[in-house]
Amino acid sequence: MSLELLEADIRERFVDFLKSFKNSAGEYYYKNMLSQMVVTGQKHLVINFEDLLEYDQQLAEQLIEKPSKVIEAASAAIRDVMMSSININYARKVKRFIARFKKLPEVIPIRKIRSEHVGKLIMIEGILTRVSSIKQQIVKAAYRCEKCSEITYVEAASLDERINPPEKCQHCGGRVFKLIPEESEFIDWQRLTIQERPEELPPAQLPRSIEAIAREDLVDVAKPGDRIIVVGILKSVKEHTGMGTTFRPEIEVNYIELSEKGMEEIEITPEDEEKIKNLAKDPMIHEKIIQSIAPSIYGYREVKEGIAYLLFGGVQKILPDGMRIRGDINILLVGDPGTAKSQILQYVARIAPRGIYTSGKGSTAAGLTAAVVKDRTTGDWYLEAGALVLADGGVACVDEIDKMRNEDRVAMHEVMEQQTVSIAKAGIVATLNARTSILASANPTLGRFVEQKSIVENVNLPITILSRFDLIFPLKDEPDEERDTKMSEHILRLHQTRGYVSPPPIEPELLRKYIAYMRKNVKPRLSDEAMERIKEYYVEMRKLGKNGGSIPITPRQLEALIRMTEARAKMALRDVATKDDAEAAIRLMNYVLEKTAYDVETEKIDIDMILTGKTKSQRDKMNIIMDYIRSKVKEIGGPIKKDFAAEEIEKAHGIEKNTVLEIIEKLLKEGILFEARPGYVMPT
């Protein structure tokens, strides 16, 4: 059979398929889709590969093996059916119809693409990391003869081929031509870079990526950070190297589908679903989930409870005015060396359906959020998604956040509250989604936790970051005979058995599927009883502040309580969060506040410790010191000696001299006071 006859045969078979295929409901599916194309003004038809395989196996096999030829024939068949059966006027109006194919039987991992795939139709999955600006590609060029002004049209044989001017004018034989862009035909063109998904990355390997070319209606379908499924023809493009014998792979995109979050990434079989539903019925489900988090790490029950709430998360709300209230929970672990912070973070990154682990020491602002990079060959500027954008819809674990440079850490402010990344660089102004929970860890400033100092003084983090964490857990390494005995036994058994001391109630893989299933299917609302209990607790705590002058809780903690209450309901796959869920969230919030916001002097909880870095008692002392220094400077008409001021304040107000000197040093650092000459201070 000749090639021409084969192409005609393919076209004919596609016409039969489009006219005759019936779906499970007995409808002529593709004829209906063609009718819809006329109404919506579309030029492309998406064909499910499974339907084609069911109708004509030989045709489906030909599509995989010789995609260029088959897609062209299928596109021509769409025109034939449109002309003969659907709408002849629309068929005449549209210059070119396109056949697009989805749901191929096999996904080829990016790092498994080999020479055998060149020229074949393949399907890949990955994260879109770069998107070029949209350009126009010429497909039919109009050349004007400089001698007689006759216009000659030259059409591209294929979309990959370059269009050259004609050798000579058919009218006068002239050989000098000028391109007339306004008379030529163009299509949209865009270059994409698709990278492997982080969860598929083998240990100690750099992620691989592949470039793809999107044309016409496929441009701007996805943005950097989106997870996509791409169907396309694998082409080999000659590299501009000295040898000239090597080629790099590139995908000519036929179809792009945005990958659904949760279920798409983690396959949940009907058996898994059955197991998940049975687990959710267990009255001890909350305890089982908490015990299944990092089972090889001894203790930390409250920390694991907080991490369970982070993994399940609250419910995101989008208000009628477009304002978004985050549902994700952010947690900070501040601990002495050797308290297993990094292991907890790495475990969470593995168990979360979309988890990314990064270390603060090796992360920059651009690496965390998004970078604008220049393409070496074209000179175009690209937007490249960073770790927090890639973790959209999951958990970002940032180890040693205190080791980050301050200017890099600032990039996290917007992500932690607004859950977006805004970029304005090199003429690119964009906002990307970063709807991620952040689990971070930090070491104490002086190496070990100092009990007498507040959390703010113990950790080298700015207040602006600290106040954005819903929960802060201090992990202290304190000698305790009973606890030390149990921990040493636990660690020794771990080494002896080379596995779990006792298997966790829920296996890690099932827990991962449980979380993925919950994220897709459960969005609980607060019951009236739960709302009443949270309101009662909030108002009660605020009353305490009224009497003592300190503020024990703010609306930020109220929102955190709501998120934790919803997360606890999600753990049992419930649609309504009950009073019990609210009680558990309040219990954990009280534990955290006592550990991080307890003012030793007043023996009260003072949230200002985290929000402003100063308790009410410290602020009062600062005011006394500042008032004294201001009045003395005014009186003597110049700076006052630090030691003299400290002694006078101790006599008049009973504040210890050392405490006064410490506060004066703080005020100097903050720029409220300045040192006029060594040992002498005055207000700025």
Side-chain angles (χ1 to χ4, degrees):
M1 194 182 286
S2 71
L3 187 67
E4 286 75 29
L5 186 62
L6 183 63
E7 282 181 0
D9 188 33
I10 291 168
R11 187 167 169 173
E12 214 170 284
R13 284 189 182 194
F14 262 110
V15 169
D16 288 344
F17 166 71
L18 295 171
K19 282 182 173 177
S20 314
F21 179 80
K22 289 182 183 178
N23 62 11
S24 53
E27 299 165 338
Y28 287 103
Y29 181 75
Y30 291 105
K31 276 183 86 172
N32 293 344
M33 291 298 287
L34 286 165
S35 301
Q36 278 182 33
M37 279 168 67
V38 178
V39 177
T40 56
Q42 280 183 331
K43 298 171 187 176
H44 67 274
L45 175 71
V46 180
I47 298 167
N48 192 329
F49 184 84
E50 290 166 4
D51 296 345
L52 186 64
L53 191 65
E54 183 192 316
Y55 187 83
D56 190 332
Q57 191 180 340
Q58 193 184 358
L59 197 57
E61 285 168 4
Q62 278 283 311
L63 173 65
I64 299 289
E65 293 302 314
K66 307 279 181 195
S68 299
K69 183 173 65 183
V70 176
I71 290 168
E72 206 174 302
S75 301
I78 293 169
R79 174 173 287 280
D80 293 347
V81 177
M82 190 66 83
M83 292 277 283
S84 61
S85 314
I86 312 296
N87 190 316
I88 192 166
N89 293 328
Y90 186 68
R92 282 177 181 156
K93 192 172 85 172
V94 175
K95 291 172 184 172
R96 188 167 156 264
F97 288 99
I98 310 161
R100 304 210 178 280
F101 295 87
K102 67 173 184 177
K103 293 193 178 171
L104 265 57
E106 186 189 4
V107 175
I108 311 287
I110 291 173
R111 65 176 51 237
K112 294 277 172 72
I113 290 173
R114 297 290 182 267
S115 54
E116 68 204 52
H117 297 117
V118 174
K120 307 273 197 303
L121 190 72
I122 63 167
M123 183 164 78
I124 63 162
E125 267 187 85
I127 296 177
L128 189 60
T129 55
R130 279 191 194 181
V131 175
S132 77
S133 54
I134 297 171
K135 297 182 179 181
Q136 279 64 50
Q137 181 183 353
I138 195 162
V139 287
K140 189 178 181 182
Y143 287 101
R144 182 186 287 145
C145 174
E146 293 284 274
K147 196 175 177 183
C148 68
S149 299
E150 183 74 18
I151 292 177
T152 307
Y153 292 94
V154 182
E155 210 163 330
S158 77
L159 292 173
D160 294 331
E161 284 185 25
R162 187 175 171 168
I163 298 178
N164 293 312
E167 284 184 17
K168 62 177 183 179
C169 177
Q170 297 296 319
H171 190 255
C172 70
R175 293 179 182 272
V176 182
F177 293 91
K178 187 183 177 183
L179 179 69
I180 313 298
E182 53 272 23
E183 294 288 329
S184 304
E185 274 180 36
F186 295 88
I187 58 167
D188 293 323
W189 178 100
Q190 193 175 40
R191 186 182 291 278
L192 317 173
T193 304
I194 303 152
Q195 187 180 290
E196 279 180 297
R197 298 186 301 175
E199 55 269 28
E200 291 172 345
L201 197 62
Q205 294 277 337
L206 283 171
R208 302 258 176 98
S209 57
I210 189 166
E211 291 200 337
I213 302 298
R215 292 184 174 93
E216 298 178 80
D217 54 295
L218 295 176
V219 300
D220 269 2
V221 165
K223 58 184 183 300
D226 284 343
R227 294 183 171 226
I228 56 171
I229 298 165
V230 171
V231 175
I233 305 165
L234 189 71
K235 299 282 179 84
S236 52
V237 180
K238 194 170 184 177
E239 286 190 307
H240 299 290
T241 58
M243 291 171 70
T245 55
T246 56
F247 291 73
R248 59 178 171 81
E250 189 177 88
I251 292 178
E252 189 183 300
V253 183
N254 175 259
Y255 181 69
I256 295 176
E257 187 180 349
L258 288 174
S259 177
E260 271 188 59
K261 293 167 175 60
M263 287 287 271
E264 278 290 323
E265 291 158 37
I266 297 168
E267 195 185 337
I268 297 170
T269 61
E271 297 83 55
D272 290 331
E273 199 171 330
E274 194 62 38
K275 279 185 196 171
I276 288 163
K277 284 179 179 172
N278 288 336
L279 263 177
K281 288 173 192 167
D282 190 331
M284 295 296 289
I285 183 64
H286 299 102
E287 206 51 48
K288 282 187 173 178
I289 289 169
I290 292 163
Q291 286 172 19
S292 301
I293 290 167
S296 58
I297 295 164
Y298 177 78
Y300 300 139
R301 199 236 170 245
E302 288 81 9
V303 176
K304 289 180 181 181
E305 186 182 347
I307 287 168
Y309 295 158
L310 172 137
L311 284 166
F312 284 81
V315 179
Q316 180 182 287
K317 286 99 181 171
I318 297 169
L319 306 182
D321 63 356
M323 189 180 164
R324 194 161 67 185
I325 301 171
R326 70 178 164 99
D328 295 297
I329 295 166
N330 300 323
I331 293 178
L332 174 67
L333 310 178
V334 182
D336 293 333
T339 46
K341 299 184 299 295
S342 298
Q343 284 94 317
I344 292 172
L345 263 67
Q346 284 173 338
Y347 183 86
V348 171
R350 280 198 306 274
I351 208 81
R354 184 176 294 179
I356 283 183
Y357 174 88
T358 179
S359 176
K361 216 166 188 177
S363 301
T364 61
L368 280 173
T369 53
V372 174
V373 288
K374 196 173 189 177
D375 189 272
R376 285 184 207 166
T377 51
T378 61
D380 284 349
W381 290 97
Y382 286 90
L383 195 60
E384 201 165 63
L388 297 175
V389 176
L390 298 182
D392 182 35
V395 180
C397 299
V398 186
D399 204 358
E400 299 192 330
I401 192 172
D402 55 314
K403 304 288 190 298
M404 286 174 76
R405 293 185 313 164
N406 208 35
E407 53 267 37
D408 292 334
R409 204 164 34 217
V410 168
M412 294 178 72
H413 288 197
E414 185 192 351
V415 175
M416 291 179 80
E417 210 55 65
Q418 274 71 46
Q419 298 207 299
T420 54
V421 166
S422 301
I423 286 287
K425 291 176 185 174
I428 293 174
V429 179
T431 301
L432 306 175
N433 282 328
R435 294 157 297 187
T436 173
S437 296
I438 291 176
L439 175 61
S441 78
N443 288 317
T445 314
L446 300 171
R448 277 198 182 276
F449 228 90
V450 180
E451 202 67 51
Q452 295 75 31
K453 291 191 173 183
S454 69
I455 191 87
V456 176
E457 292 166 309
N458 263 304
V459 64
N460 182 27
L461 282 176
I463 299 304
T464 45
I465 285 266
L466 270 180
S467 61
R468 281 173 166 81
F469 285 104
D470 298 289
L471 300 171
I472 300 172
F473 291 102
L475 308 181
K476 297 170 190 173
D477 184 12
E478 296 168 322
D480 178 324
E481 196 176 333
E482 191 187 339
R483 188 175 174 277
D484 292 344
T485 305
K486 285 180 180 172
M487 186 186 271
S488 58
E489 282 173 3
H490 178 88
I491 292 168
L492 287 163
R493 276 206 208 99
L494 261 181
H495 283 271
Q496 187 186 42
T497 57
R498 295 182 189 179
Y500 299 123
V501 173
S502 58
I506 305 168
E507 286 297 317
E509 197 48 44
L510 181 58
L511 182 59
R512 198 161 184 257
K513 288 178 177 178
Y514 191 98
I515 295 165
Y517 179 84
M518 170 282 304
R519 287 199 171 214
K520 190 169 178 68
N521 298 295
V522 186
K523 283 184 174 57
R525 58 175 180 81
L526 292 178
S527 67
D528 292 342
E529 294 82 11
M531 279 171 67
E532 196 53 46
R533 180 66 190 101
I534 293 169
K535 185 178 85 175
E536 190 185 293
Y537 170 75
Y538 180 73
V539 173
E540 236 172 72
M541 290 292 278
R542 295 287 289 186
K543 267 186 203 165
L544 291 174
K546 194 178 178 184
N547 302 332
S550 61
I551 298 172
I553 196 166
T554 70
R556 261 190 178 162
Q557 282 68 44
L558 176 64
E559 288 198 344
L561 276 172
I562 295 164
R563 285 191 277 270
M564 289 194 288
T565 306
E566 290 168 344
R568 195 174 185 275
K570 280 182 168 187
M571 285 162 79
L573 305 185
R574 278 190 269 107
D575 289 327
V576 178
T578 64
K579 188 182 176 183
D580 287 346
D581 297 325
E583 290 287 3
I586 288 166
R587 236 184 352 261
L588 190 65
M589 180 59 80
N590 273 333
Y591 171 85
V592 169
L593 290 175
E594 278 168 22
K595 293 280 182 187
T596 58
Y598 186 73
D599 186 357
V600 185
E601 282 185 45
T602 58
E603 295 184 347
K604 287 188 173 74
I605 288 170
D606 188 352
I607 200 67
D608 279 353
M609 218 161 180
I610 296 167
L611 295 181
T612 66
K614 302 175 191 84
T615 60
K616 183 181 182 295
S617 56
Q618 284 173 324
R619 275 201 312 275
D620 291 345
K621 285 174 187 171
M622 277 183 177
N623 286 331
I624 291 166
I625 292 163
M626 279 305 296
D627 288 346
Y628 176 81
I629 292 172
R630 274 196 199 101
S631 63
K632 272 291 174 192
V633 166
K634 205 172 186 183
E635 191 185 305
I636 61 176
I640 184 170
K641 196 175 182 184
K642 281 193 282 188
D643 287 340
F644 173 75
E647 284 162 11
E648 290 296 303
I649 291 165
E650 188 175 21
K651 280 178 202 167
H653 300 281
I655 305 168
E656 281 183 20
K657 183 183 174 182
N658 286 345
T659 307
V660 176
L661 289 170
E662 271 178 31
I663 291 172
I664 287 173
E665 286 305 317
K666 270 187 189 172
L667 293 167
L668 283 166
K669 271 184 192 170
E670 288 173 19
I672 297 165
L673 293 176
F674 78 96
E675 207 160 6
R677 59 178 189 268
Y680 287 79
V681 294
M682 64 188 297
T684 48

